[in-house]
């Protein structure tokens, strides 16, 4: 788990990545996107602190077009293979770190306490 810059070449590879019990964050970026220059490193830094989340940075130039990605940066969040969130951009630059950190915190898997429901 953790962060990786990856290339996904076909639908089967998407399915393989999503077939985990851990949350999966797919950040789609483009080298021609000025916002991606900030979003990518921010995402990688925060993802490194959350090893229970599978986090991939996908360059749109090397990855087949995804139907939910209309522009970059776009983050897709999956749980148990189901698309939970689509985040287009990361808010104004001054709020980006807080926004991304809160997003990761929502999906961190916490152990269940005995005796709770």
């Amino acid at each position: 788990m953790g962060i990786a810059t990856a290339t996904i070449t076909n639908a089967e590879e998407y399915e393989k990545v999503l077939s985990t019990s851990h949350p999966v964050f797919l950040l789609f970026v483009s080298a021609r996107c000025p916002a991606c220059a900030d979003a990518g490193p921010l995402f990688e830094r925060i993802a490194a602190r959350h090893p229970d989340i599978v986090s991939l940075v996908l360059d749109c130039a090397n990855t087949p077009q995804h139907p939910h990605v209309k522009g970059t940066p776009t983050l897709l969040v999956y749980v148990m293979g189901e698309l939970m969130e689509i985040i287009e951009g990361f808010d104004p630059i001054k709020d980006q770190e807080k926004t991304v950190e809160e997003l990761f915190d929502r999906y961190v898997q916490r152990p269940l306490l005995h005796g709770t429901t």
Side-chain angles (χ1 to χ4, degrees):
M1 269 131 337
I3 183 76
T5 302
T7 300
I8 292 180
T9 59
N10 56 50
E12 290 80 24
E13 288 185 26
Y14 277 115
E15 292 302 318
K16 184 178 177 184
V17 168
L18 299 179
S19 67
T20 176
S21 61
H22 297 276
V24 177
F25 285 23
L26 302 177
L27 178 64
F28 290 83
V29 297
S30 171
R32 296 173 292 178
C33 166
C36 293
D38 293 325
L42 171 67
F43 176 80
E44 290 178 357
R45 187 173 71 251
I46 294 172
R49 297 192 302 250
H50 298 280
D52 289 339
I53 296 175
V54 177
S55 302
L56 302 175
V57 178
L58 302 170
D59 185 336
C60 290
N62 301 320
T63 301
Q65 184 175 353
H66 190 287
H68 294 292
V69 177
K70 308 294 187 225
T72 56
T74 295
L75 178 63
L76 304 181
V77 177
Y78 289 87
V79 174
M80 301 297 288
E82 181 180 342
L83 182 60
M84 305 300 289
E85 294 191 55
I86 301 170
I87 295 91
E88 297 174 338
F90 288 155
D91 291 336
I93 192 89
K94 67 180 182 66
D95 299 325
Q96 286 182 0
E97 186 158 357
K98 181 180 178 213
T99 298
V100 176
E101 189 67 59
E102 288 173 352
L103 179 67
F104 272 88
D105 287 346
R106 280 201 303 271
Y107 290 95
V108 169
Q109 294 184 344
R110 294 178 174 86
L112 295 175
L113 299 175
H114 294 287
T116 61
T117 56

